[in-house]
Amino acid sequence: MTRYIIQVEDIHYTYPDGTGALRGLSLSVAAGSKTAVLGANGSGKTTLFLCLNGLLKPQKGTICFDGETLSQKRQALKKLRSRVGIVFQDPDTQLFSASVLQEVAFGPLNLGLKKEEVLRRVTRAMEITGIAGLQDKATHLLSYGQKKRVAIAGILAMEPEVLICDEPTAWLDQKHADKIMDLFCRINRAGTTVIISTHDPDLAYAFADRIVILEQGSVLGAGGPEAVFLDDDLLARAGLRQPQVLETYRKLRAGGYLREGFPLPRTREELLQML
Ligand SMILES: Nc1ncnc2c1ncn2[C@@H]1O[C@H](COP(=O)(O)OP(=O)(O)OP(=O)(O)O)[C@@H](O)[C@H]1O
Ligand SMILES: [Mg+2]
C-alpha cells in the first residue's frame, strides 16, 4: 500500500493584500517519490511549498505530514522543519550567515547534533554540491548560482525526509544543473522524498515519477510523466510544450524510424540508444 508522506486537502491561501494564491488545492505525495510541480508564473508553486513547510498557514483546508495534521505550535513546527527541508527559489532570502561554512553548519547545529556529526554532514553536503572550495568565502560575495548551491547544501546537511526545492536549476549553468539533478536522484534512491518546481518540461520529464500542473492556485492535472506529457489537450491548456525527447520519439515512430516494443525514452541518451 502506498504511504503518503504529504496529503493536502482543499487548501486556500490568500496573501494579506488580498491575492488568492491557492484556491482549493489538493495533492498527495508518496513517500520516496520524486514530484515535479509545473505551472505558469504566479500559479502558486512557491506559496504551496511555503505551506508544506509550515511557513505559511492556509486559511482553509488541511495538510497532513506523515499522517498527522500540521500544527502551528512552536515545537511541532520545529520538528516539521527538521523533517521537511525547503530550498527557496531565491537564495538571497535563504542565506544569512557570514561564511559558506557557517551557513551550511547552521541547520545541523540548530538540530542540536554533536560537533563531529555536524562536521560529517557539513563536509559531505559541501562535497556533493561542489562548494567545498568555497567554505571560507563570504556568502554575499558568491555568484548567484554558487549561492543556490550553498542553499541546497545547507538543507541537505539537515538530512530531511522530504526535500523541497523551488526551481533548483534556475541560475545554474548546464554542468551544475545536471549535477544537482543527479544528486537529487541519488538522495531519492537513498530514501528521501524530493519535490521540485520547474518551468522546464524536459527536466521534469527526465526527473520525476509524478508531475503536478498548477493553474491559478489549484491542480489542473497530475499523473505519471508519460501520461501527463502525452496528453496534448492538458499540455495545451497548461501552456506547456512536450519534452523534446518525447516529441522527437513520437515523430520518429510516426515516420516508421523506430520499431515497436520499446518503453518510452525518458532522456536524450535513452532515445539515442534506441536509434
Ligand atoms: N508576499 C506576497 N504578497 C502578496 N501576493 C503574493 C505574495 N507572494 C506571492 N504573491 C502572489 O501569489 C500568487 C502566487 O505566487 P507564487 O509565488 O506562489 O507563484 P509561483 O507559481 O511560484 O510563480 P513563479 O513561477 O513566478 O515562481 C501570485 O499572484 C503572486 O503575485
Ligand atoms: Mg515561485
Side-chain angles (χ1 to χ4, degrees):
M1 212 177 79
T2 310
R3 176 180 151 235
Y4 290 104
I5 189 98
I6 289 172
Q7 285 170 300
V8 174
E9 190 62 43
D10 193 29
I11 57 169
H12 292 250
Y13 184 83
T14 302
Y15 282 102
D17 72 351
T19 307
L22 301 179
R23 309 171 198 204
L25 188 148
S26 300
L27 164 89
S28 295
V29 178
S33 63
K34 290 178 285 188
T35 299
V37 181
L38 291 112
N41 292 136
S43 57
K45 303 179 296 296
T46 296
T47 309
L48 166 67
F49 288 177
L50 297 177
C51 289
L52 296 182
N53 178 257
L55 287 165
L56 294 179
K57 183 183 177 332
Q59 287 93 359
K60 193 173 160 253
T62 54
I63 300 179
C64 285
F65 178 74
D66 206 9
E68 274 181 43
T69 306
L70 290 201
S71 146
Q72 290 297 308
K73 295 208 177 92
R74 236 180 102 226
Q75 275 309 315
L77 278 178
K78 195 171 172 215
K79 194 167 164 225
L80 174 79
R81 287 178 195 148
S82 72
R83 298 178 74 186
V84 182
I86 180 165
V87 180
F88 295 138
Q89 183 165 349
D90 178 2
D92 281 329
T93 49
Q94 188 133 19
L95 308 184
F96 58 88
S97 303
S99 78
V100 169
L101 183 66
Q102 285 170 345
E103 182 65 44
V104 181
F106 178 81
L109 281 173
N110 220 22
L111 292 177
L113 301 167
K114 287 208 182 97
K115 215 174 133 198
E116 301 79 60
E117 176 62 9
V118 172
L119 197 64
R120 183 193 70 77
R121 289 188 181 198
V122 168
T123 310
R124 183 174 167 271
M126 290 200 301
E127 230 163 68
I128 56 181
T129 49
I131 57 161
L134 299 171
Q135 68 168 42
D136 297 320
K137 187 136 179 152
T139 47
H140 73 281
L141 297 179
L142 298 170
S143 77
Y144 206 78
Q146 289 170 336
K147 283 182 184 170
K148 189 90 189 183
R149 285 187 284 136
V150 171
I152 292 171
I155 299 300
L156 288 181
M158 294 176 73
E159 299 188 355
E161 286 164 59
V162 179
L163 172 73
I164 299 177
C165 200
D166 206 352
E167 303 204 17
T169 60
W171 292 92
L172 296 193
D173 60 53
Q174 191 65 54
K175 185 182 108 189
H176 286 111
D178 290 348
K179 276 194 167 175
I180 288 296
M181 295 318 293
D182 279 351
L183 173 61
F184 286 179
C185 287
R186 254 189 294 146
I187 62 164
N188 172 260
R189 282 197 294 274
T192 308
T193 305
V194 182
I195 306 173
I196 64 160
S197 73
T198 180
H199 289 289
D200 182 344
D202 298 307
L203 183 144
Y205 178 65
F207 168 75
D209 45 39
R210 189 161 175 87
I211 306 290
V212 177
I213 301 175
L214 298 193
E215 188 191 55
Q216 293 186 16
S218 65
V219 175
L220 179 69
E226 282 96 358
V228 166
F229 286 121
L230 286 172
D231 187 338
D232 295 326
D233 180 47
L234 174 62
L235 293 184
R237 280 187 291 136
L240 284 169
R241 65 166 173 76
Q242 197 161 53
Q244 281 170 2
V245 167
L246 207 48
E247 192 186 0
T248 312
Y249 169 84
R250 279 171 114 186
K251 291 229 163 87
L252 288 170
R253 275 295 307 274
Y257 296 104
L258 281 174
R259 277 183 286 122
E260 270 182 55
F262 286 112
L264 285 174
R266 289 283 286 275
T267 60
R268 202 171 142 263
E269 287 70 32
E270 283 179 20
L271 177 64
L272 289 175
Q273 237 169 25
M274 283 179 189
L275 290 168

